[in-house]
């Protein structure tokens, strides 16, 4: 039998992007939250720089994540 993680939206105490913003701040990553449901994060890696875009889609309760790589 498979255990399922079920999240009750009424129990969510904060916006999902608030969590992403907190992680970015703790890691000292540059980020911009121009919209309430959209955020971009710049991460410098050892082999590449990453631009990560996060979009919270409330209707389906989904977090869309897209990442672009800048390979030098």
């Amino acid at each position: 039998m498979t255990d399922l993680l079920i999240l009750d939206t009424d129990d969510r105490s904060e916006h999902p992007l608030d969590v992403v913003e907190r992680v970015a701040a703790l890691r000292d990553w540059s980020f911009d939250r121009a919209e309430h449901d959209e955020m971009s994060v710049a991460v410098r890696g050892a082999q590449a720089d990453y631009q990560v875009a996060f979009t919270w889609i409330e209707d389906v309760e989904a977090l869309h994540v897209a990442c672009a790589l800048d390979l030098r």
Side-chain angles (χ1 to χ4, degrees):
M1 174 181 244
T2 304
D3 293 327
L4 297 176
L5 175 62
I6 300 173
L7 300 175
D8 185 357
T9 58
D10 294 333
D11 290 343
R12 187 183 315 123
S13 61
E14 62 185 323
H15 193 284
L17 289 184
D18 291 342
V19 176
V20 176
E21 185 173 329
R22 197 166 54 250
V23 170
L26 287 171
R27 301 288 300 191
D28 201 26
W29 293 334
S30 176
F31 63 89
D32 179 34
R33 190 157 172 193
E35 298 288 330
H36 181 66
D37 291 335
E38 296 180 8
M39 179 177 179
S40 62
V41 179
V43 179
R44 177 162 285 222
Q47 302 298 320
D49 291 338
Y50 305 91
Q51 279 293 339
V52 187
F54 298 89
T55 304
W56 174 247
I57 306 168
E58 183 71 36
D59 296 347
V60 293
E61 295 190 354
L63 183 62
H64 179 263
V65 180
C67 181
L69 307 172
D70 179 17
L71 299 172
R72 294 184 224 161

